[in-house]
Amino acid sequence: MASDPFDGDVRRLRHGGRGGGNGDPAGYRPVRPEDGMSEPPASPAPADAFHLTPLDIRKQEFRKSLRGYEPIGVEDFRMRVADALERVIRERSVLEERLSALSEQLRAFRERERAMNEALVAAQQLRQDMRVAAEREAQVIKREAEAEARRILDATRAAEAEGRARMQEAERMYAGYMQGFRALLERQLAELRALEGHGG
């Protein structure tokens, strides 16, 4: 990621408390040591020890020096830094709002996904229950059909046996009737022959 062109100069705009001596304006802190003087290295400050706002930049005052920077250039740079910082803050606010909205959408999507998963599991369970119930009902129907078929088969066999018995009884009775009728005819024929013999 490219570095911000104002980053190095913004870090040098730190201020805190009152300014130093020699008529320095309030809020002034030197950005480099005085000529011929060395400044001991400062201990690193914690990440949250310095907060810079656009208003801080616009109110920052610099000590004037014969070898200092051009006041117009410094003022122009300070205004551009403040404008850039305001733009960054606005963009950050927009991004935070967008992140919040996306987080809410993600939460809603996850809730919807969870509800859909629960509905899918419930549908699968219902389908499984319906399949088991259908198989159980089919088994019951099959057993009832088999029992009814056996009952009908037994009744058919019983009716067939009864019909055969009646047929045999009818045949026996018919044979007896025919035998008696034949005997009757033979007696009558014998009587007729006897009458014819007496008449001749």
Side-chain angles (χ1 to χ4, degrees), residues 15-116:
H15 66 87
R18 305 293 297 175
N22 302 323
D24 294 339
Y28 167 77
R29 291 185 64 183
V31 296
R32 63 183 62 184
E34 298 291 341
D35 293 341
M37 297 179 61
S38 61
E39 184 178 85
S43 59
D48 58 350
F50 174 64
H51 298 283
L52 187 65
T53 66
L55 183 61
D56 294 333
I57 296 175
R58 290 190 175 96
K59 289 186 175 181
Q60 174 68 33
E61 296 182 3
F62 297 89
R63 186 177 65 177
K64 295 181 180 180
S65 173
L66 294 177
R67 294 187 300 274
Y69 294 103
E70 181 182 2
I72 296 177
V74 172
E75 182 67 17
D76 178 69
F77 176 75
R78 188 173 62 177
M79 292 300 102
R80 287 191 290 118
V81 169
D83 293 341
L85 184 57
E86 281 184 341
R87 185 169 59 253
V88 169
I89 292 174
R90 287 195 301 269
E91 291 176 354
R92 178 180 177 181
S93 177
V94 171
L95 291 176
E96 288 178 349
E97 292 179 359
R98 186 176 302 174
L99 177 61
S100 177
L102 291 176
S103 298
E104 182 64 22
Q105 290 181 2
L106 179 60
R107 186 193 64 79
F109 287 152
R110 286 177 176 173
E111 287 292 330
R112 187 177 304 173
E113 181 183 8
R114 182 183 61 81
M116 291 178 63

Side-chain angles (χ1 to χ4, degrees), residues 155-165:
T156 301
R157 288 174 178 174
E160 182 181 2
E162 183 180 359
R164 288 178 180 177

Side-chain angles (χ1 to χ4, degrees), residues 47 82 97 103 108 118 153-154 159 176 179 188 193:
E97 292 179 359
S103 298
E118 291 178 354
L153 182 60
D154 293 342
Q179 184 178 2
Q188 290 180 354
R193 288 176 180 173

Side-chain angles (χ1 to χ4, degrees), residues 135-155:
E135 291 178 353
R136 186 181 298 113
E137 184 178 0
Q139 292 294 331
V140 172
I141 294 175
K142 180 181 178 181
R143 287 194 297 269
E144 291 178 352
E146 290 175 350
E148 181 67 14
R150 286 193 297 268
R151 186 187 65 79
I152 294 175
L153 182 60
D154 293 342

